[in-house]
Amino acid sequence: MSTLDSSDALLDTEDVPMGRNFAELARVKMTAMEGSSGPVRSETVDFLSPLKMDIEKLSSTFADVVKNHVQPEMFDLHQKVARMAMEYDIEKQDKQIDGICELVSKATDAQLVQLASIYSNLSNFVNFCECVHRIRRRRAHQSGLGSMVNQHSCHEIFSELRDKGFSPEDIHNQLKSQTVEFVLTAHPTQALRRSVSSKLHEIAAILLNLHSEELTPFEEDCLKARLRRLLLALWRTDEVRRSPPTPEDEARNALNIVEETIWAAVPRYIRMMDYSLALIGQPPIPIDSVPFLFSSWAGGDRDGNPYVTSSVTQRVVTLNRYRAACNYLVTIEKLLFDMSTQYGSDELIKFNESLPKSLNNMTTRNLKFKEFWNHVPPTEPYRVLLSYLRDRMTATREYCDAKLAGENLPPPEEGCLFERSEQFLEPLMIMYRSLHSDELGDGSIADGDLLDLIRQVKTFGLSMVKLDIRQEADQHSSLMNAVTEYIGRGSYLEWNEEKRVEFLVEILGSKRPLIPRDLPCDAKQQEVLDTFKAVTSIGREFLGAYIISMCMNTSDVLCVLVLQREYAPSADHILRVVPLLETIGALESAASVLSGLFKIAEYRNFVRDQFSDVQEVMVGYSDSGKDGGRLTSAWELYKAQERLAAVGDEYGVAVRFFHGRGGTVGRGGGPQHLAILSQPQHTIDGYLRVTIQGEVIQQDFGLPALADRTLETYTTAVLKADLGKSVAPQEHWRSLLDRMSEVSCKKYRSIVHQEPRFVEYFRYATPEQELGLMNIGSRPQKRRAGGVETLRAIPWIFAWTQNRLLLPVWL
């Protein structure tokens, strides 16, 4: 456990009891804070001084480090610029700005690079000091020592809901049935290198620990020495990526954040939630509840990214499996040592008797374990079962490792590897039930690390994150055109929508294969073909949704279903098909597209049989904002969700929404708790899926305490949105917004899309083209050559952010 983990763990998982005695302990601890209208808080701790101290500590130590490693004239330049900047902050006189400009104009290129590096690091220090500051305030708030502006904790929201007439049972029933799914994406908005961010995270941990009153002088001196070493390492680290990351690099970055904070945060936060439930006399959420899920786009999002290929996707899935196995093995090793209980239920004993004596030689070659690698006493049933799980998980890790190394392996023997989560979960549940059985009464042992492991398996599966696949609709149409021309049916691209739908429905109703094995096609079409072969062979255990970007028609969805069915070995290998609505036109026509799908018996049966009458729809905030402006985008997103939910109700299908939000306001960002509460009525219903993009991943999950806060923010927002029920807009509000949206969109498009000089202005006024040279992400900044309409939403927003005009937010 890192220093931050230990200092930030509000409730150590081994010290938090679970079960019938938990409620009483929680009530005793929180009696002073409990009230019918929520806790009354007062500021009893000075939080401003520690923030200033942290900033001053980092700034002064960093200045000392820099002074010892630059030329004297360079450090003198930095001091002069800093002094003039501080004077300007007080006096607001142009002379200080003019003075800074004069100093900068006389500096050499080498000095400018060093000066930029100094202030880049100082800015990062302030940001991370604020993160530490928020953590301190949150901890004090939870201890009853201070107030917070945004009170989104379970305790506050539970009190608010009870004041509104909801019973504790209502709150418990809602919490145990709701799920929030976070989708980590590789959007190129995180400019910090991992080499930089990892050092900043450790600096944040040190700052937290330096404020501890229990430090000895020796411990404090060691922390300060480590801080100085980190600051020197930062100064010596190149802040700029000199080569672009590959899709596999981006996948590893996503896995790193899961391993470092999210992996432990999920079971820890569920315990915090159970603690809050105990305060209102409710039991913990059931073991089969799944409050959180995690997915990823890194290695699966091929929309406009030629570097994400079918082979890359296969390697990323294998990498995800490998890293998951590594993490599970750590916990299994710990449980194997801890669970020395001699007695087990009849169910456990019988299950152990059915286990194979050993796995095949290839998977157990040269394996040496930390504990019990030679012999497990047969009188210890839990260790017997855990040793089997360890062998099988190790075999899974070794197999994935060999695949990543390029070894040509035969298919694994049946029962050798973990291929489905249920294979791992079943024996864990048998041990859990055994410990909780009346004859043993050892439930408190089960409710420790074993329960946490079960929660992790339900959350992360066998691959830590499920990988979504995303591709542009035109790419599928191009492949289908090659097919129809080759089989003599004409040009798919030249057909109208009605004829396309008729053809695709005919294929869905037929059992004959559509695509010839010797189909001639170009490189792009072949890659699309290879992708469908790959994803249908991998299946749903490790993959999530197949998302169609720029989806405009019913045929776009049917086409993907047809292509998947062509190669899937069985129906349960076909991924759910998710239309992405990301333009104003797509949002306006969304209801007719979905209605058209549900009218088709073959598609309606597919949704019913394979996905229990649930249809997912993704709504895009970034591109719709770039298309029609911020106001029109927000209003059309709202109306589209209402219409789509109504279509689902008409056909007996639950429509779930996947929100493609970015970090900035222009890309749908903002306070997430408020954003969730602002959704139309009956559009969440216990399930929320949302992207966490680029720099937001670090902001939300970069530190353990931030991960706790993020999980709590989303949990309580979904709880409140579903129980509290939002206010339906009145008709005159709708009429006013319709008029405002029409005027706003017309003005926005007249400037951005119709003014012939705008593109030239945009490229002169912003560093748009220079941003394209940065090695932030693996994908190009444009889908294809052209003007603003072909520019991706991220560089569009990024460019206006750099010159501080922020045009997409207000125009």
Side-chain angles (χ1 to χ4, degrees):
M1 182 177 285
S2 69
T3 52
L4 184 61
D5 288 334
S6 60
S7 68
D8 187 60
L10 301 178
L11 295 174
D12 187 280
T13 54
E14 295 202 8
D15 294 332
V16 179
M18 300 293 294
R20 295 178 178 86
N21 294 329
F22 188 53
E24 185 59 32
L25 175 66
R27 289 194 196 95
V28 170
K29 286 187 175 183
M30 297 292 287
T31 298
M33 298 167 57
E34 185 71 34
S36 61
S37 299
V40 178
R41 309 282 181 164
S42 62
E43 292 289 0
T44 60
V45 177
D46 178 9
F47 289 104
L48 188 58
S49 295
L51 174 60
K52 291 180 177 179
M53 287 170 55
D54 286 344
I55 296 174
E56 175 59 30
K57 188 191 309 292
L58 287 186
S59 301
S60 59
T61 308
F62 183 65
D64 191 44
V65 167
V66 171
K67 184 178 181 179
N68 294 329
H69 291 86
V70 298
Q71 296 296 322
E73 57 269 20
M74 174 62 230
F75 191 73
D76 183 59
L77 173 63
H78 155 59
Q79 288 187 309
K80 289 179 180 178
V81 170
R83 184 169 56 253
M84 288 184 181
M86 286 188 287
E87 290 174 357
Y88 176 77
D89 190 52
I90 297 172
E91 300 176 9
K92 299 293 189 296
Q93 298 292 321
D94 289 344
K95 63 180 181 180
Q96 287 96 5
I97 297 296
D98 294 338
I100 293 174
C101 291
E102 183 179 355
L103 287 172
V104 169
S105 66
K106 293 179 181 179
T108 66
D109 289 348
Q111 288 177 327
L112 290 176
V113 169
Q114 289 187 323
L115 192 64
S117 181
I118 289 172
Y119 286 101
S120 175
N121 277 295
L122 289 173
S123 297
N124 287 330
F125 297 158
V126 172
N127 288 338
F128 274 78
C129 284
E130 289 179 352
C131 286
V132 171
H133 179 64
R134 290 200 298 271
I135 292 171
R136 269 195 304 263
R137 294 206 62 180
R138 184 174 187 268
R139 287 171 59 82
H141 175 68
Q142 291 174 324
S143 301
L145 300 176
S147 63
M148 293 187 72
V149 175
N150 296 317
Q151 298 182 358
H152 300 151
S153 73
C154 285
H155 188 63
E156 276 81 25
I157 299 302
F158 289 0
S159 295
E160 180 182 339
L161 290 172
R162 292 177 69 185
D163 287 344
K164 291 181 178 179
F166 295 99
S167 68
E169 290 76 16
D170 293 332
I171 295 171
H172 182 269
N173 290 336
Q174 173 63 33
L175 276 180
K176 73 179 183 181
S177 62
Q178 71 179 42
T179 299
V180 178
E181 183 171 0
F182 300 94
V183 182
L184 310 180
T185 74
H187 284 78
T189 57
Q190 174 56 283
L192 278 182
R193 293 180 62 196
R194 177 166 168 75
S195 298
V196 174
S197 63
S198 62
K199 295 177 180 62
L200 290 169
H201 290 153
E202 189 167 354
I203 287 172
I206 291 173
L207 291 178
L208 277 172
N209 285 331
L210 281 173
H211 286 280
S212 172
E213 296 180 356
E214 298 179 358
L215 284 177
T216 67
F218 170 74
E219 291 171 335
E220 183 176 355
D221 188 65
C222 287
L223 286 173
K224 289 180 178 178
R226 177 59 181 158
L227 177 63
R228 190 177 185 87
R229 288 194 295 271
L230 287 167
L231 293 174
L232 176 57
L234 273 176
W235 176 245
R236 292 300 199 190
T237 300
D238 190 352
E239 299 159 88
V240 179
R241 291 187 181 96
R242 298 302 172 181
S243 59
T246 67
E248 286 187 49
D249 293 332
E250 294 170 333
R252 288 187 179 89
N253 288 338
L255 292 175
N256 287 336
I257 200 70
V258 174
E259 284 183 339
E260 290 169 4
T261 62
I262 299 173
W263 186 263
V266 167
R268 182 175 66 240
Y269 176 69
I270 293 175
R271 288 181 180 278
M272 295 179 187
M273 185 163 58
D274 289 341
Y275 181 83
S276 296
L277 283 169
L279 295 177
I280 58 174
Q282 293 300 299
I285 62 171
I287 195 169
D288 57 350
S289 295
V290 187
F292 308 107
L293 291 170
F294 286 85
S295 297
S296 173
W297 279 13
D301 182 9
R302 60 237 314 122
D303 176 18
N305 191 343
Y307 306 111
V308 179
T309 62
S310 57
S311 61
V312 165
T313 295
Q314 289 173 310
R315 280 185 59 82
V316 167
V317 168
T318 303
L319 175 64
N320 293 347
R321 293 182 65 185
Y322 172 80
R323 297 279 285 270
C326 291
N327 280 276
Y328 284 130
L329 279 169
V330 173
T331 305
I332 293 173
E333 285 277 7
K334 186 176 187 303
L335 285 171
L336 190 56
F337 184 78
D338 292 344
M339 296 187 68
S340 54
T341 307
Q342 300 179 58
Y343 306 100
S345 65
D346 292 341
E347 180 188 23
L348 174 61
I349 302 302
K350 289 179 181 178
F351 188 84
N352 283 352
E353 290 173 351
S354 69
L355 296 176
K357 299 303 180 183
S358 64
L359 301 178
N360 65 48
N361 291 331
M362 187 281 293
T363 57
T364 58
R365 56 187 178 186
N366 302 320
L367 298 182
K368 295 293 184 289
F369 299 110
K370 183 177 179 181
E371 303 285 353
F372 305 102
W373 63 271
N374 188 35
H375 176 69
V376 175
T379 57
E380 298 175 350
Y382 297 97
R383 282 176 168 169
V384 170
L385 182 48
L386 285 165
S387 65
Y388 166 75
L389 295 180
R390 179 181 61 179
D391 288 349
R392 194 168 177 181
M393 189 62 74
T394 302
T396 304
R397 182 192 65 185
E398 297 293 300
Y399 180 81
C400 293
D401 188 30
K403 284 188 68 176
L404 291 170
E407 295 185 28
N408 188 17
L409 301 174
E413 294 182 10
E414 181 70 25
C416 176
L417 310 182
F418 283 118
E419 301 285 355
R420 300 188 308 279
S421 299
E422 292 77 12
Q423 296 169 342
F424 186 29
L425 196 58
E426 181 189 7
L428 297 178
M429 290 300 300
I430 289 173
M431 288 189 285
Y432 186 84
R433 288 195 296 269
S434 175
L435 290 167
H436 268 286
S437 62
D438 293 336
E439 60 205 80
L440 297 181
D442 295 334
S444 60
I445 298 176
D447 288 330
D449 288 333
L450 178 59
L451 176 59
D452 286 351
L453 178 58
I454 292 170
R455 297 285 195 200
Q456 287 169 327
V457 176
K458 287 182 171 292
T459 300
F460 303 106
L462 293 177
S463 57
M464 294 183 75
V465 290
K466 284 194 174 185
L467 191 65
D468 280 357
I469 306 298
R470 184 170 75 139
Q471 180 61 280
E472 192 175 6
D474 287 348
Q475 299 298 321
H476 307 135
S477 298
S478 175
L479 173 59
M480 190 57 73
N481 186 69
V483 173
T484 57
E485 288 186 337
Y486 185 71
I487 64 176
R489 296 289 294 266
S491 173
Y492 183 84
L493 294 177
E494 294 179 1
W495 296 349
N496 60 25
E497 174 65 7
E498 183 180 357
K499 188 171 182 179
R500 288 186 183 187
V501 170
E502 181 183 353
F503 169 75
L504 295 170
V505 170
E506 174 193 336
I507 300 302
L508 287 173
S510 171
K511 295 183 178 180
R512 294 178 300 173
L514 169 66
I515 302 177
R517 300 312 175 205
D518 59 346
L519 176 70
C521 50
D522 61 30
K524 286 186 176 181
Q525 293 166 343
Q526 185 62 52
E527 178 52 44
V528 175
L529 201 63
D530 291 342
T531 296
F532 281 105
K533 293 178 182 178
V535 300
T536 51
S537 67
I538 295 169
R540 298 180 200 166
E541 179 64 42
F542 307 110
L543 299 178
Y546 194 111
I547 300 165
I548 311 167
S549 58
M550 293 297 168
C551 182
M552 306 296 292
N553 301 295
T554 299
S555 62
D556 292 334
V557 178
L558 294 176
C559 184
V560 170
L561 179 56
V562 166
L563 292 171
Q564 282 199 87
R565 201 192 70 160
E566 188 71 12
Y567 293 104
S570 60
D572 60 2
H573 273 244
I574 298 177
L575 308 185
R576 65 185 188 272
V577 185
V578 178
L580 168 52
L581 313 172
E582 50 188 335
T583 65
I584 301 302
L587 292 169
E588 291 174 338
S589 62
S592 62
V593 170
L594 206 60
S595 178
L597 283 170
F598 294 159
K599 288 177 181 177
I600 297 168
E602 290 79 2
Y603 187 83
R604 181 66 186 82
N605 294 339
F606 166 72
V607 172
R608 181 195 64 215
D609 298 339
Q610 295 300 317
F611 298 101
S612 304
D613 284 324
V614 174
Q615 171 68 54
E616 185 175 317
V617 176
M618 184 173 183
V619 287
Y621 291 70
S622 300
D623 280 291
S624 60
K626 183 166 73 74
D627 181 29
R630 189 72 195 95
L631 175 61
T632 299
S633 169
W635 183 228
E636 290 301 330
L637 283 162
Y638 188 96
K639 293 192 294 183
Q641 290 180 72
E642 286 185 318
R643 292 192 292 263
L644 290 169
V647 170
D649 291 342
E650 180 183 351
Y651 289 92
V653 177
V655 178
R656 287 181 173 173
F657 293 98
F658 177 14
H659 297 266
R661 292 180 178 274
T664 60
V665 174
R667 298 182 55 241
Q672 288 305 310
H673 197 275
L674 182 60
I676 294 168
L677 295 178
S678 301
Q679 299 307 307
Q681 288 182 325
H682 312 301
T683 58
I684 294 181
D685 287 339
Y687 184 90
L688 177 72
R689 196 170 199 244
V690 62
T691 56
I692 308 293
Q693 303 180 8
E695 83 288 358
V696 182
I697 296 176
Q698 291 292 340
Q699 292 172 12
D700 285 357
F701 295 105
L703 300 172
L706 296 181
D708 293 342
R709 185 192 67 178
T710 297
L711 296 177
E712 186 161 61
T713 296
Y714 280 88
T715 296
T716 57
V718 171
L719 169 67
K720 189 174 177 180
D722 275 347
L723 281 187
K725 306 301 179 186
S726 58
V727 178
Q730 299 179 22
E731 281 305 315
H732 68 276
W733 296 354
R734 292 179 177 276
S735 299
L736 179 59
L737 268 170
D738 282 337
R739 294 198 302 272
M740 291 171 63
S741 174
E742 181 182 0
V743 172
S744 172
C745 184
K746 183 177 180 180
K747 185 63 175 180
Y748 175 87
R749 287 178 170 174
S750 70
I751 295 174
V752 174
H753 296 289
Q754 297 166 10
E755 168 57 59
R757 298 170 297 172
F758 181 79
V759 172
E760 181 183 10
Y761 162 73
F762 173 57
R763 288 175 176 163
Y764 273 109
T766 72
E768 177 258 335
Q769 293 181 306
E770 287 75 12
L771 289 173
L773 303 175
M774 295 180 67
N775 298 309
I776 297 179
S778 66
R779 75 182 189 185
Q781 67 170 353
K782 286 191 174 186
R783 286 187 171 95
R784 54 190 175 275
V788 172
E789 71 282 355
T790 64
L791 185 68
R792 286 187 174 275
I794 289 174
W796 166 251
I797 297 291
F798 212 170
W800 292 112
T801 302
Q802 297 308 302
N803 69 3
R804 303 299 189 264
L805 186 57
L806 304 176
L807 177 140
V809 178
W810 53 262
L811 180 58

